[in-house]
Structure formats: C-alpha cells, structure tokens
Amino acid sequence: MKVIETKAGLKSWVNKRKAEGLTLGFVPTMGFLHEGHLSLIRQAKTENGAVIVSVFVNPAQFGPGEDFDRYPRDLPKDIRLAESAGADAFFAPSPKEMYPSEIGAVIRAGRQAERLCGKSRPGHFDGVLKVVTKLFHLTGADRAYFGQKDAQQLAIIEKFVQDYDFPVTIRRGATVREEDGLAKSSRNIYLSDRERMEAPALYEALKLGREAVLEGRDPVPAVRRHIENNTSGTIDYVEFLSYPELQEKPEGTAVLAVAVQFGKARLIDNLLLHLKENPHASNDAEF
Ligand code: AMP
C-alpha cells in the first residue's frame, strides 16, 4: 500500500492506475479506523481494481467549540488497518495541503440539511460537501463508499453527486455494530465506562421505534422514553423522516434517527424502514 501526503503524489498514483485500466474505489474517512471503515474498504476492494482510503480530519466540517482539536488520531495504526483490509493507496494530507488558501466560492447544502445533524451543527454539511468535492476530483474515483451510520450525510452526498453530475457512483455500506448493538464510531472512545454501558440503549430504542411503526404508532415518543429512562445522555433529536428527502410525514422509505450527547461524546444512530412493506423486513444490511 502506498502512503501519500500530497495532492501531486495522489494524482500521479491515480494516473498510473488509470493507465493500467484499473477502476478506482474510494473510501473517505476521518481516521481512527474501526470495523465500520474496514467493511467499506473490503466492499470497495471487491468492486474495483484498486482502492484509495483517505484519512483527513476536515476542519471545514467542525463548528466552533466542536471536537476538531481532540478528535482521535492514530495514523500508524490506520495505515496498518487500511492495508490489512485491502487498500492500495492511503491518502493523508495536512489541512494546509487540502486548503492552501481561502476558498473563493461556497458550496451550501440544501433542504436535506435543515433537520437532524444539519440543524444542530450549522455549516457541517457545507464542510462535508467542500471536502468530498475536492477528494472526488483528486482521486478520480469511479465509486465512493459511505456508511448508512451517517444516513443524512449519505443522502446529501448521493443527491449532490446526482444534481451536479459528478462522474462517481455512490455506494452504501451497512452500519457495523458492536456485539451489544452500539454502532461503531471513532467517537465511542470518548465514552466513560458508565456511558459505554448505557450507549447500546440507542439501538434498543430504535428497534422499539420500529415496533411502534409496525403497530401504526408514532415511533418518536417510544424512542425518547427508552433513551431518557436508560441513559444519562441528553437527547439532541429523535426524528422520523422520509429518506432520502429528510422531510416530515414519511411514506415510502423512512429514517428513524437519533443523536444523544453524552459527557464528551455526541453519538448518532439510525434505522431505515420501508413503510409500504413490513418494516420488519428492513434491517441495517438492506437497501
Ligand atoms: P468517519 O471517519 O466517521 O468520517 O466515517 C467515514 C465513513 O465511514 C463514513 O462514510 C461513515 O458513514 C462510515 N462509517 C462510520 N462508522 C460506521 C459504521 N459503524 N458502520 C458503517 N460505516 C461507518
């Protein structure tokens, strides 16, 4: 696996692979890799001739007072894990390399960013779109891989790519969980022992919400109650919206999504539900 820190280095690696006729899969991450990231890398490896993984903690998607400075980082370990999952190139640029000067035109996420994390984290998805635009251009990827764990991000990027005719296909990866149901996340490391014991309640709550939907009830109260009764965290949101539009009164496919602030960790999780079919038919692995 080739470790690359500069845009020029990446371009030259990409040009060589393209000259060899290989298709390129791309997995963008913020590092501190875990099984969720590795499953995306493995999926990319089965569908492409070569795979590029990026690790870049993107300052543009963090708001003032958020965890940019203390976001967990372990590049040597990330390099080992990415290679073991089958990555061929590992792109880890510095912020200066990615943003050498102030950007002159803005990209602003639209209606899909009005709810959920877009509401709680103003500007977050603008920053995400900024970095993925650059990374899509730099990697020239045929396919890019994103996890359902970040369902709003996935929906926004899929539409962005479609609306602006980016020559890349977005591929979805199922949420990978710990054995007790907690969605894997780099931020889980911020949890205290007690919070770590409470955190599986998010997924339990989502599953109770799914039961409520099946019985024709609004799932939001059941989800809120379970989280309030079983964790010390503060609910940021519990929402039941259409997917991928992320608007009220879902009919076809819906997302049931939660964000909970624990002491240092803000955790998010979600389930996709297919309302016209038996919602039980929906699970994390299905799209
Ligand atoms: P991050 O490093 O948190 O920015 O995540 C990089 C990519 O990995 C994003 O597409 C995430 O949705 C995806 N991802 C993060 N956690 C998981 C997980 N538990 N299961 C599946 N994909 C994940």
Side-chain angles (χ1 to χ4, degrees):
M1 185 181 75
K2 176 94 171 154
V3 178
I4 303 166
E5 290 178 1
T6 64
K7 296 196 278 189
L10 180 62
K11 263 285 151 224
S12 118
W13 187 91
V14 163
N15 288 341
K16 283 190 206 128
R17 298 296 83 75
K18 294 225 159 175
E20 291 166 9
L22 297 179
T23 57
L24 294 180
F26 172 47
V27 183
T29 82
M30 297 205 302
F32 214 68
L33 300 184
H34 52 66
E35 195 52 40
H37 302 116
L38 302 184
S39 71
L40 293 175
I41 299 172
R42 289 191 203 102
Q43 187 183 345
K45 190 69 177 181
T46 65
E47 298 178 357
N48 300 277
V51 174
I52 305 165
V53 174
S54 68
V55 168
F56 180 61
V57 185
N58 173 33
Q61 69 189 68
F62 288 79
E66 290 190 351
D67 57 348
F68 174 72
D69 287 329
R70 61 188 177 89
Y71 194 84
R73 292 161 167 93
D74 189 344
L75 224 43
K77 187 172 173 202
D78 287 347
I79 290 170
R80 285 199 304 279
L81 288 175
E83 181 160 34
S84 73
D88 299 282
F90 184 95
F91 181 51
S94 66
K96 194 115 195 97
E97 180 70 11
M98 285 298 276
Y99 302 118
S101 57
E102 192 185 325
I103 285 187
V106 294
I107 300 174
R108 186 159 300 143
R111 281 187 77 200
Q112 290 165 299
E114 286 171 3
R115 313 287 293 254
L116 308 172
C117 291
K119 191 170 174 196
S120 325
R121 304 182 66 189
H124 169 68
F125 289 111
D126 304 346
V128 169
L129 294 180
K130 188 176 184 177
V131 80
V132 299
T133 297
K134 290 176 71 82
L135 290 169
F136 288 167
H137 289 141
L138 291 167
T139 59
D142 298 285
R143 298 182 189 84
Y145 295 77
F146 292 86
Q148 190 208 315
K149 158 79 180 3
D150 299 276
Q152 186 174 24
Q153 169 173 278
L154 176 58
I156 290 172
I157 290 173
E158 280 180 348
K159 182 153 170 57
F160 180 59
V161 158
Q162 197 181 357
D163 290 347
Y164 283 96
D165 302 300
F166 278 77
V168 60
T169 301
I170 302 302
R171 303 282 293 143
R172 298 176 172 188
T175 300
V176 176
R177 300 178 179 282
E178 304 286 354
E179 276 189 8
D180 59 14
L182 173 63
K184 298 224 182 206
S185 166
S186 309
R187 289 188 169 99
N188 289 349
I189 195 173
Y190 297 149
L191 295 168
S192 70
D193 290 349
R194 176 174 163 208
E195 290 167 342
R196 175 63 190 82
M197 295 209 332
E198 298 170 354
L202 271 63
Y203 186 48
E204 289 161 16
L206 290 172
K207 288 190 290 187
L208 288 172
R210 180 164 60 191
E211 294 303 312
V213 171
L214 189 63
E215 292 162 13
R217 289 183 284 122
D218 176 5
V220 171
V223 173
R224 292 194 83 94
R225 207 174 320 116
H226 189 79
I227 294 172
E228 282 164 3
N229 291 343
N230 293 282
T231 79
S232 55
T234 307
I235 294 175
D236 177 1
Y237 62 72
V238 176
E239 294 205 72
F240 183 50
L241 300 173
S242 62
Y243 195 85
E245 301 82 5
L246 304 179
Q247 302 302 313
E248 281 181 34
K249 301 191 177 45
E251 284 184 351
T253 301
V255 65
L256 179 59
V258 301
V260 177
Q261 181 70 53
F262 286 88
K264 287 195 199 129
R266 182 176 176 280
L267 301 189
I268 59 171
D269 200 352
N270 70 86
L271 277 182
L272 288 191
L273 303 175
H274 304 295
L275 304 182
K276 296 251 162 69
E277 302 153 23
N278 177 352
H280 271 304
S282 156
N283 60 43
D284 290 345
E286 189 197 321
F287 293 103

